[in-house]
Amino acid sequence: MNRAFSPLFKSMLLALLAVSATASAVEAPKPAVKADAAKGATLYADGDAARGLPACVSCHGAAGNSTITVNPKLAGQHESYIYKQLVDFTTPQRNQPVMTTYAKMLSDADKKNIAAYLGTQLSKPGAAKNKDTIDLGKKIYRGGIASKQVAACASCHGAMGNGIPVQYPRIAGQHQDYTVAQLTMFRSTKADARKNSAEMHTIAARMSDDEIAAVADYIAGLK
């Protein structure tokens, strides 16, 4: 009996293996599409009129060097960080009227391409402006505020503000007004609160307006 069914069993086994192999081939993930910085540069500089998408340069400046102090400098920012923020703008975690609208118009490839382009640009340096608070800002950035359990900014963003790709952004030379606004939104519990970093919420919630202003001014002078 075993001999009689052996050829049939073998045929069924081979068929099952073939189906399994086909299923595995179908389910195998496709390789990630590599970002195209050249396409990102075009979209950044020209936008896409067909989609009603304005050029990023109009707000963030040539090559990501914004001259509008409430808009961040993006030149030289970590590619992975910019991509994450563009994704976050499409979620309740970072709801900002202008950027949320435009981020939702971008495809995932668009987001990666723009991030790749900006990550290769050179950031123009900024400068600290308030001599009266520079020591306080330096102290907070380098050593934190022990009495309030505020960690040193340098522990995550680096001694010179260069950050760590994926985890922490580059903040050296960033506009004072922008940094103050972001720390204030991280601290906020209102509808406009920035909710995409639990770490930053905890830190900012323990800082006063004067401390935020001082450290933002110090950061602007980092190179």
Side-chain angles (χ1 to χ4, degrees), residues 9 16 26 32 44 72 87 129 131 141 153 162 187 197 209:
F9 178 76
L16 286 171
V26 172
Y44 184 90
V87 171
K129 299 176 181 178
K131 294 180 180 179
Y141 189 87
C153 310
N162 291 318
R187 185 178 64 181
S197 172
D209 288 346

Side-chain angles (χ1 to χ4, degrees), residues 7-118:
L8 177 60
F9 178 76
K10 287 181 180 178
S11 297
M12 291 176 63
L13 180 59
L14 290 172
L16 286 171
L17 288 173
V19 171
S20 177
T22 302
S24 297
V26 172
E27 294 170 3
K30 296 180 180 179
V33 177
K34 186 176 181 180
D36 189 327
K39 288 183 178 179
T42 299
L43 193 56
Y44 184 90
D46 302 329
D48 187 343
R51 287 185 280 172
L53 186 68
C56 311
V57 68
S58 60
C59 289
H60 294 287
N65 282 292
S66 167
T67 57
I68 303 171
T69 62
V70 294
N71 295 336
K73 294 179 181 180
L74 301 176
Q77 184 58 269
H78 305 308
E79 180 180 338
S80 54
Y81 183 78
I82 292 177
Y83 172 72
K84 180 183 184 300
Q85 298 312 302
L86 288 172
V87 171
D88 285 354
F89 276 124
T90 67
T91 75
Q93 299 304 306
R94 193 173 183 186
N95 187 15
Q96 201 274 347
V98 175
M99 283 306 305
T100 292
T101 298
Y102 297 145
K104 287 182 177 179
M105 296 170 69
L106 296 171
S107 68
D108 193 62
D110 289 336
K111 293 181 178 69
K112 289 178 179 177
N113 294 342
I114 291 172
Y117 164 69
L118 288 169

